[in-house]
Amino acid sequence: MSSQPKLCQTIMEGIWERVEVFNPQADKDRLWEAFHFAQEAHEGQKRKSGDPFFLHAITVANILTDLRMDVDTLIAAMLHDVVEDTPYAHQDIVDRFGSEVANMVNGVTKISGLKEVNKEARKAETYRKLVLSIANDPRTVLIKLADRLHNMRTIEFLSQDRQQAIAQETMDVYVPFANRFGIAKIKWELEDLAFKVLLPGKYFEIERGINQTRSERERLIKKLLIPLRESMEKTGVKCVITGRPKHFYSIYRKMEAQEIGLERVYDLLALRIIVETKADCYHALGELHTLFPPLSDRIKDFIATPKPNMYQSLHSTVRTPQGKYIEVQIRTDKMHERAELGIAAHWRYKEGGGTDAVGLGEMVTMLRQIMAWQEDVSDPREYMDTMMSDFLRDEVFVFSPGGDVFQLPAGATPLDFAFRIHSEVGFRCTGAKVNGRIVSLRSELGNGDSVEILTSKTPNPSASWLDIVKTGRAKHHIRRWLKTSRFAESVALGRQILERELTRAHLHLKIDADLVDVAQEMGYSELDKLLAAVGSGDLNHAKVIGRLTPRNASAAEKVLTRGKELYDSLLRRSSTGVRVAGVDNLMVIYARCCQPIPGDSIVGVITRGRGVSVHRAGCSNLSDPNLGPERRIEVSWDVAPDQTFLVKLIIQAVDRKSLLMDVSEVLNLSNTNIQSGNFSSEGDLSTVTLVVEVKNLNKLEKILTSIGKVRGVQSIQRYQLN
Ligand code: MN
């Protein structure tokens, strides 16, 4: 044991020496100060392995030195568990090492004393805090990753259960973070360490297989390297070529994806060619392909199109004279550094006075944006899901009709794309074409899809859209829209209802003047909120009337008692073509899903804030549990003689020249107006969609019969949206 403080000292000396090399101007005395402070703070604390606790902290700093991080980050790494596990507090760190260091330490400190007992909620809250601190200072994520890396390296000392849980969390959260920030160096190791814990059988199978064929592979590499080096030299391209075994987890993923055994994974090994300039990359690729034929579909140009984490490289799989396949990566040394270090490279360039090499600013802006969208999300699960899909998951690239490229998370739908273009496009979206074909708004977009959004003049979001979209941006806009539009509609309806009831009760009161006090008495901060509550059905209008002055109490009483019988017995004529039991002048809308017309038997459903919607009795949407019996209301037709209704018809027919003409001829003869029409054909079948004006069901049936007689027509359907 006594050798371990010495070990810490040795590691610290190593850190100091390397900082001296890559950052000679740094104030290295502060490093020693932090070393002594943290060592003293953790004095006597041991890890499960029996090692002194401080060995962990100094190792985390050591990992970050490999990433060539700045001095503040290294200090924060040494102190990263001080606030959590020792008597020192945030302010102690501020006083000694400044607020930048203290804030980084705070960012990686677990949240303690959380109210949520729920494990999931606690996890999400901790996670939200981490994301917040990363957005404030992205160096936090590097410390957190290095911390996790050392914990994974020493995981064997924990119980089986803890090992499983930590490895799973590493795979689910930390690996995606490392990947997103482009830190391949840490990502691969974390992935392989977690893989070993989660699927030990598979891990050791791959390890054995690789060891058995090691010498064979080494010979192969030699055979390839010599001609490759020679030909590169001839063209004057300076390069360094290395062979490296693939990481176990990536081999495993390949075996799983292609359902093959290890012996059939042909590129267990990869070659890397590092050159000086971007042009050299393409020269080298050309040279490589003249020596070894490429597997043509496996060339990837991440130089022209970098990955979102800014990774750049050329990838090609080539065939060797021995009939083996091998993956080759070609990149400049700058691209290589960025590929290995990701955002960590940023501080290197920063200290060297260079530019922001890794698009860090964009990443941070994006994180902040995502967090702003998520502000109103209270469900921890949803928060994590959206965060994962918006920021961490794989992405797809899609094209607008104008050829602009848009990046969306994998699984995104055309509706996400619509909101990505502009919230207005999203709101007015009615459908989408992907690669020229009409698709469902729910369909997932694929890489390279060309997406065109169909819009209407008026916005039409609905709550069901929240299930369709995957991006935080779209969810945020839809939620906001639903909130404000519903509110406005409810206010208007509430006002209508109360005005009507005041008149009925012979109360000569003005809503805006006389109901303000009532609203306050009833606990509403403003009148509109009371009106909205009435309009949405959350507050019974009779209760409001009852609150009015005692002078009016008896009148209010009348309204209250009248309630039930009135609703049951009175049938009053509305101005819109249906009578609604007991209610005057209520807003009536015809359900768009089934488009009822006089003659259809109908059912009324009280909606939140949109009056009564009228459905056909057989409409499949009525089986929705949200439209249960307590929201039904009796309605009947009461049509003015000249009133017409719109019906959408879908006619399928054998494709022939004058089909459309013949159909419209028939409609003309029966004096039926066509409001709009659409024609499409696929193979020899064509589909005619017509919106026609009819007075009633009787009339519609006659029309259907005559259209049915048109040559080639195979079926006619009344539109019903499911
Ligand atoms: Mn730690």
Side-chain angles (χ1 to χ4, degrees), residues 646-649 673-678 688-693:
L646 297 179
V647 177
K648 196 186 217 175
L649 301 176
N673 279 335
I674 304 177
Q675 229 228 1
S676 65
N678 192 3
V688 182
T689 312
L690 295 175
V691 176
V692 297
E693 269 175 46

Side-chain angles (χ1 to χ4, degrees), residues 47 53 56-57 60 80-81 85 147-148 151:
R47 303 190 92 209
F53 196 94
H56 163 69
V60 171
H80 81 268
D81 281 323
D85 296 324
D147 178 39
R148 179 51 62 111
N151 287 336

Side-chain angles (χ1 to χ4, degrees), residues 498-710:
L498 284 175
E499 265 167 6
R500 182 192 66 204
E501 290 303 321
L502 287 172
T503 314
R504 260 194 195 157
H506 304 292
L507 294 172
H508 301 288
L509 300 174
K510 289 232 158 32
I511 287 183
D512 292 298
D514 301 321
L515 256 61
V516 176
D517 291 343
V518 178
Q520 276 197 343
E521 269 173 44
M522 297 183 80
Y524 294 93
S525 57
E526 48 194 291
L527 178 62
D528 273 359
K529 287 188 179 159
L530 175 126
L531 297 179
V534 172
S536 65
D538 292 338
L539 173 65
N540 191 316
H541 57 76
K543 281 194 183 149
V544 181
I545 305 287
R547 283 272 182 163
L548 292 166
T549 56
R551 185 162 51 89
N552 298 313
S554 63
E557 195 67 17
K558 238 157 82 193
V559 177
L560 278 169
T561 50
R562 204 175 41 166
K564 176 93 172 110
E565 59 201 274
L566 184 91
Y567 276 63
D568 286 346
S569 61
L570 285 181
L571 277 177
R572 282 169 197 279
R573 187 183 165 135
S574 81
S575 57
T576 46
V578 292
R579 281 188 284 191
V580 178
V583 188
D584 265 344
N585 298 321
L586 203 55
M587 285 202 277
V588 169
I589 53 164
Y590 294 97
R592 289 204 304 182
C593 51
C594 55
Q595 300 173 338
I597 57 171
D600 286 325
S601 47
I602 46 174
V603 173
V605 175
I606 301 164
T607 66
R608 296 204 146 230
R610 287 179 298 127
V612 172
S613 88
V614 178
H615 291 258
R616 275 197 262 162
C619 176
S620 56
N621 285 326
L622 289 173
S623 54
D624 184 336
N626 289 326
L627 308 182
E630 69 285 356
R631 298 187 56 189
R632 299 288 168 84
I633 187 166
E634 196 185 308
V635 288
S636 59
W637 290 107
D638 185 13
V639 192
D642 53 350
Q643 202 171 344
T644 58
F645 292 80
L646 297 179
V647 177
K648 196 186 217 175
L649 301 176
I650 298 151
I651 304 162
Q652 296 221 296
V654 176
D655 196 11
R656 62 183 180 83
K657 252 189 191 150
S658 50
L659 176 74
L660 202 55
M661 229 175 69
D662 292 351
V663 171
S664 44
E665 181 70 21
V666 165
L667 290 168
N668 250 333
L669 283 173
S670 64
N671 269 327
T672 306
N673 279 335
I674 304 177
Q675 229 228 1
S676 65
N678 192 3
F679 180 85
S680 67
S681 67
E682 210 177 308
D684 4 311
L685 201 67
S686 33
T687 305
V688 182
T689 312
L690 295 175
V691 176
V692 297
E693 269 175 46
V694 294
K695 283 188 174 168
N696 54 44
L697 188 62
N698 203 353
K699 180 82 196 239
L700 176 67
E701 274 164 0
K702 280 184 189 148
I703 295 168
L704 294 183
T705 313
S706 25
I707 295 176
K709 285 180 186 155
V710 172

Side-chain angles (χ1 to χ4, degrees), residues 355-371:
T355 50
D356 181 354
V358 286
L360 183 69
E362 284 157 50
M363 255 187 231
V364 168
T365 310
M366 192 171 159
L367 259 184
R368 291 193 179 136
Q369 179 67 77
I370 291 168
M371 289 188 356

